[in-house]
Amino acid sequence: MNDVLYFNGRFTTTAERVLGVEDRGFQFGDALYEVFKFSAGKAIFLGDHFRRLERGLHAIEIKSPWDESRFFAVMRELIERTAFDDGIVYIQISRGEGERKHFFPENLEPTVVAYSRAFQFPDAAKKENGIRLITAPDLRWKHCDIKSVNLLANALSKKKAQRAGADEVLLLDDDIVREGASSNFFVVRGSEVITHPLDEHILAGVVRGRVIGLAEGAGIRIDQRPIAVDELIKIDEAFITSTTMGVMPVASIDGRTISSGIGAVTARLQHLLDAAEIADAAVTHASSSI
Ligand code: PLP
């Protein structure tokens, strides 16, 4: 069964080859992407993903192909056309297709691609037992706040993690812990939760933002400040956040056990996020009938 593909205003399937060889996303990585989750046929935190995409397009001067209501309508139709109920949608917007040159023309029509894909979200055991991390130097470009498709450094670091028997890699800039190669990173020390502040060194994760809001609503203090590498030996719990992993406990870093089983603060935040996803799916569905 082919996944449903939206391409420049029409629906097809991923069996169709749609991209031109001179698309700037393909040749220059001149493109942004988003990944959102849908569950029981309903998109989750869709407005957050739309806003991040708009911010990124603006930052790199790519014309936005839609307003919020059109975006919602297209994504809803994409999910409705999809045969399965749980999965992710990958969206990519490139500057467009044109003769290969570094000086890009101002008037290119963006290439818009979005497709659905079935996804196995972590089960209860994984959410309880957590994942293993390794650390590695952060070799990415200097605008990690822009969700660009230039993921070579991320992919090479993740491969390193996989070869070391780990699931994710924590990216270090000298002695500062930035984030995971495809996730944000939090530590818990006593009653305090710490995560890197929003700046050009990390991506403003949708789940990161939601978790901070939920924590504050529940009276859990979150300190947004850089975490030094040597602080990692003094923590009680750690977790990562992402669209596909939710709130995922960290069992070990570089082979050193952080906690066996999920810690109390991580468990509370995981529970709050799971509930927020269900609540948001209902809202998104109701308001997307535009
Ligand atoms: N940081 C990086 C580098 C990522 O690639 C991702 C997700 O792909 C995240 C953080 C988490 O972002 P989100 O919560 O929006 O999925």
Side-chain angles (χ1 to χ4, degrees):
M1 182 178 48
N2 292 312
D3 297 319
V4 176
L5 168 68
Y6 172 86
F7 176 69
N8 286 350
R10 68 185 170 90
F11 285 96
T12 175
T13 73
T14 48
E16 186 184 337
R17 296 280 173 256
V18 291
L19 273 189
V21 74
E22 289 202 300
D23 193 277
R24 292 186 63 90
F26 174 59
Q27 295 201 327
F28 290 93
D30 189 354
L32 297 182
Y33 76 105
E34 270 301 324
V35 175
F36 72 83
K37 170 177 176 178
F38 62 96
S39 181
K42 292 166 188 170
I44 294 166
F45 304 148
L46 195 55
D48 301 30
H49 289 280
F50 174 74
R51 284 186 288 278
R52 181 170 65 190
L53 189 55
E54 287 290 297
R55 278 201 308 275
L57 291 172
H58 182 73
I60 64 168
E61 298 180 40
I62 292 180
K63 189 166 67 177
S64 175
W66 39 38
D67 61 17
E68 187 165 6
S69 64
R70 175 84 189 127
F71 172 80
F72 268 58
V74 169
M75 295 310 147
R76 194 176 64 137
E77 186 171 349
L78 178 56
I79 296 171
E80 275 171 8
R81 286 170 177 263
T82 298
F84 42 88
D85 285 340
D86 299 296
I88 54 168
V89 172
Y90 175 86
I91 305 167
Q92 186 181 132
I93 302 180
S94 85
R95 193 176 304 278
E97 188 181 346
E99 188 189 336
R100 185 188 181 282
K101 48 184 177 222
H102 288 70
F103 299 106
F104 53 83
E106 312 262 328
N107 58 353
L108 281 186
E109 269 312 301
T111 304
V112 186
V113 167
Y115 61 88
S116 50
R117 171 98 347 146
F119 193 87
Q120 198 67 51
F121 296 105
D123 60 16
K126 186 94 185 161
K127 287 167 74 171
E128 163 74 26
N129 297 329
I131 57 169
R132 285 156 299 189
L133 306 187
I134 62 160
T135 55
D138 190 347
L139 301 176
R140 300 173 300 165
W141 75 322
K142 293 181 179 173
H143 265 295
C144 302
D145 51 328
I146 294 174
K147 201 166 167 62
S148 126
V149 299
N150 292 276
L151 293 174
L152 180 58
N154 310 54
L156 290 174
S157 323
K158 286 213 64 118
K159 194 68 199 170
K160 201 168 160 184
Q162 190 187 44
R163 288 190 174 130
D167 311 273
E168 172 63 306
V169 54
L170 257 190
L171 300 175
L172 311 182
D173 236 343
D174 295 326
D175 60 343
I176 300 293
V177 183
R178 297 297 188 200
E179 61 178 334
S182 60
S183 60
N184 292 112
F185 178 68
F186 291 69
V187 298
V188 181
R189 206 174 155 190
S191 59
E192 196 190 20
V193 185
I194 313 163
T195 195
H196 197 287
L198 285 186
D199 61 19
E200 70 280 15
H201 300 295
I202 67 160
L203 184 75
V206 165
V207 177
R208 175 193 180 282
R210 289 288 175 151
V211 164
I212 289 172
L214 291 165
E216 280 165 2
I220 301 170
R221 195 171 145 237
I222 304 238
D223 201 359
Q224 295 185 55
R225 63 156 176 87
I227 301 161
V229 175
D230 58 17
E231 287 184 78
L232 292 178
I233 51 170
K234 301 173 209 147
I235 57 180
D236 301 313
E237 301 174 33
F239 62 90
I240 59 148
T241 61
S242 77
T243 294
T244 51
M245 292 285 118
V247 171
M248 174 60 66
V250 171
S252 65
I253 302 177
D254 289 333
R256 204 171 42 77
T257 301
I258 303 295
S259 66
S260 51
I262 190 167
V265 177
T266 306
R268 179 122 188 261
L269 293 173
Q270 190 183 75
H271 177 76
L272 287 171
L273 180 79
D274 290 349
E277 284 193 353
I278 293 166
D280 187 80
V283 173
T284 306
H285 199 62
S287 66
S288 63
S289 52
I290 30 181

